[in-house]
Structures are given as C-alpha cells and as structure tokens.
Amino acid sequence: MISFKQLHHGEEPLLLGNVWNVESAKAYEKLGYKALATSSSAVALSLGYEDGEQMTFEEYFYIIKRIRASVSIPLSVDLESGYGLENDTVVSNILKLIEIGISGINIEDTNVIDGIRKLVNRDVFYEKLKDIFIKLGENRGKVFINVRTDPFLLNIENALEETLERIKLCEELKADGVFIPGMTAENDIRTITEATFLPVNVMALADLPDFDTLKALGVKRVTSGAFMYRHIYRELEKASQKITNVRSFSPLFIS
C-alpha cells in the first residue's frame, strides 16, 4: 500500500479532499480520492466559530476522531499554529493525533490575534518548529509534517522572497512538505518548485491554474481549504430559497 508520504511524490499532484465532518469524508472516499485533510476553518464554521483556533482542541479532536474512524484512506489534520501557547502542548496534540492514526498535519507560521492574522517572525517560528521536532523524538517519523507559510496569503511586500527564505528553514528542519496558500501566479509557482526539493502544496483560489498546468509547474499537492464547505452551503441556501418560492419540497427531489 502506498504511504501518505509517497503520495506526495507521484507523477500526478495529490488532490486531497478537504473535509469537515464524517459525511463529507465519506463522499470523497466514495469518489476514489486517495487521501483527505481536515479544513480547520470549515470545521470551526460548522461548529459556529470563526477561523483561527477559536474552537478548543478537544472539540476539534472529537470531530477528527469520528472522521478517522469512519474512513479507510489517509487523513491529514490542519493543526493551524498548534492549538497551544506552549510547545509542549502542541507536541501533546500531535501525539494524540498520531495515536488515532492520523497520517499528516499542517502547521502554520501565522497567529490570529483579535481576528487579525499575522506572520510570526521567521527565526521565532524556526525555533518553535525545531523544538517541536526534537520533542516528538522517534514519533517524528510517524506523521507527514506539511509546513504552511503565509506571505502570499497575507499579501506582504516581497512575498516571493520571504517565502523562499522560510522554505530554506523548512528544508533545514527536514519538514516533509511546504504549503503556500494564496500563491497563484505561474511564475511564482515555478520559482518555488524549482527552488526546493520539498513537495509544494497550493490552495484553491479563483485564479489558480488548472491541475494540468500545476502538474507542469511541479506542484505535488492541491487542496481546496474551506471553499468546498462554503460552496455546499451556498447551494443549500439556493435550494432552500427554491422551496419557499414554489411553496413545495419538490425541488429536493429534482436531480
């Protein structure tokens, strides 16, 4: 059986189904997806929270456990910045995920404070990751660690240069992959993939190139974040409006 890590080194980019509950996970598995990943934003929204670690890890962990127990394909978890102020807490959270059979995690270099997402100082983030990796010990090899870096998402000045510097630190720490949400320009994508041996993950946006183009550019992993969740609930609103317009439930039974 191909491991989750090996799926990031295939000829085709790994298309992950981003999930927020058991039913969404089962739908992707039924369609033949090879792996899944939680969208922390979608899970949070489904529980009535905003994005940015507003839900507790315990609440999130319950959803993760139910998803993991309900599907047979690999599941990665969006851990945001770790769900803990102390590195020991972050490590404890990762170990709990490993114990229930989680295949990978995302951990990001931003914090959300008072609803505002801010980039963590490059060196501070490096030391945090280094400490977490050391404390994981032999468990480090049991989980695919995909490091998310947000200069493009935050649209900072010199986003490409800053991203490249942060990727160097990821390589030094022997991370398993790098996730760069917000990056859509073909030249930027090509520059990043040619600059690193780590598999590069990009996220859905309206102007993201199609999968064949991403493959040609060297992208190895593609995710949709919370956009599928948002799409599903826009469709729910449309269906509900039809019901009130025609004063009948008949729209629910028209395929």
Side-chain angles (χ1 to χ4, degrees):
M1 182 177 179
I2 299 176
S3 70
F4 185 60
K5 185 171 185 176
Q6 288 172 326
L7 287 173
H8 291 77
H9 297 278
E11 183 178 338
E12 296 292 327
L14 173 62
L15 176 61
L16 290 179
N18 280 117
V19 302
W20 58 93
N21 60 15
V22 168
E23 201 65 20
S24 58
K26 285 185 173 181
Y28 280 117
E29 184 175 39
K30 182 180 179 180
L31 290 168
Y33 276 62
K34 295 178 181 179
L36 307 169
T38 63
S39 162
S40 61
S41 177
V43 174
L45 291 170
S46 75
L47 296 176
Y49 297 105
E50 292 300 318
D51 191 19
E53 298 189 21
Q54 298 301 301
M55 61 184 165
T56 66
F57 181 73
E58 288 69 28
E59 290 172 299
Y60 192 19
F61 189 60
Y62 173 77
I63 301 295
I64 294 165
K65 283 195 298 183
R66 291 302 309 136
I67 295 171
R68 176 64 274 163
S70 303
V71 295
S72 59
I73 56 179
L75 174 66
S76 184
V77 168
D78 177 5
L79 200 56
E80 301 194 59
S81 62
Y83 284 81
L85 297 176
E86 304 296 330
N87 291 348
D88 286 346
T89 304
V90 177
V91 171
S92 175
N93 293 340
I94 295 172
L95 292 175
K96 289 175 183 176
L97 294 173
I98 291 173
E99 285 175 5
I100 64 169
I102 295 305
S103 299
I105 63 165
N106 283 1
I107 190 162
E108 62 197 39
D109 60 1
T110 52
N111 289 324
V112 178
I113 302 172
D114 296 328
I116 300 174
R117 185 174 295 278
K118 294 184 177 180
L119 203 61
V120 176
N121 175 276
R122 191 193 306 162
D123 295 329
V124 171
F125 183 65
Y126 172 84
E127 292 300 328
K128 172 183 176 176
L129 273 187
K130 181 179 179 182
D131 188 46
I132 289 170
F133 283 16
I134 290 171
K135 288 177 175 175
L136 282 173
E138 62 183 15
N139 292 294
R140 167 64 190 89
K142 297 178 181 179
V143 63
F144 185 101
I145 298 182
N146 195 38
V147 180
R148 173 177 140 175
T149 183
D150 283 357
F152 279 96
L153 187 68
L154 297 180
N155 196 30
I156 70 166
E157 189 176 356
N158 300 319
L160 178 60
E161 291 77 8
E162 183 62 26
T163 298
L164 288 168
E165 290 301 319
R166 289 173 181 255
I167 288 174
K168 289 178 184 177
L169 301 182
C170 295
E171 292 176 339
E172 185 178 330
L173 291 170
K174 295 182 172 58
D176 298 297
V178 61
F179 177 26
I180 311 169
M183 179 175 66
T184 59
E186 291 187 24
N187 287 341
D188 290 338
I189 295 171
R190 183 183 295 105
T191 298
I192 294 290
T193 60
E194 290 179 352
T196 182
F197 56 84
L198 297 175
V200 173
N201 178 183
V202 296
M203 185 183 75
L205 284 172
D207 55 347
L208 186 73
D210 62 36
F211 296 163
D212 288 337
T213 302
L214 292 175
K215 174 184 174 181
L217 293 172
V219 169
K220 290 297 184 180
R221 171 164 156 169
V222 186
T223 48
S224 59
F227 288 106
M228 180 63 80
Y229 171 91
R230 294 177 186 278
H231 173 78
I232 292 295
Y233 283 91
R234 284 197 301 271
E235 292 301 309
L236 184 151
E237 289 178 5
K238 292 177 184 177
S240 298
Q241 187 63 59
K242 286 181 181 178
I243 289 169
T244 58
N245 288 346
V246 303
R247 298 179 59 78
S248 167
F249 286 118
S250 61
L252 294 180
F253 302 95
I254 300 173
S255 59

